[in-house]
Amino acid sequence: LAIIPAATAKRLAPNLNGMFAIAVAVSVFSTVAGTYMAHVLNREAGPLAVLSSAACFVVSFFSRRAA
């Protein structure tokens, strides 16, 4: 969960400050989404948080901005 948000942010951000902000946002979103999915699906939260983060990375490939 440390590398994927940074890689996602690098693809989307126009500058370093934007990269920091996007990486934090992706990390927070992935953690909250993974915890929610774990509650709903009655599974462990860690793998689902990483899966959420990986999904954000895949979605970043379909964005117009690529670094």
Side-chain angles (χ1 to χ4, degrees):
L1 192 57
I3 299 300
I4 300 172
T8 303
K10 183 172 171 131
R11 292 193 45 80
L12 299 175
N15 57 30
L16 187 60
N17 288 334
M19 185 175 161
F20 289 147
I22 292 171
V24 168
V26 169
S27 296
V28 169
F29 171 78
S30 298
T31 303
V32 171
T35 303
Y36 176 75
M37 286 190 300
H39 177 71
V40 170
L41 300 173
N42 197 22
R43 301 284 183 206
E44 296 293 326
L48 292 173
V50 172
L51 185 64
S52 306
S53 186
C56 290
F57 181 73
V58 169
V59 168
S60 76
F61 276 104
F62 298 110
S63 70
R64 293 191 180 268
R65 169 82 175 117

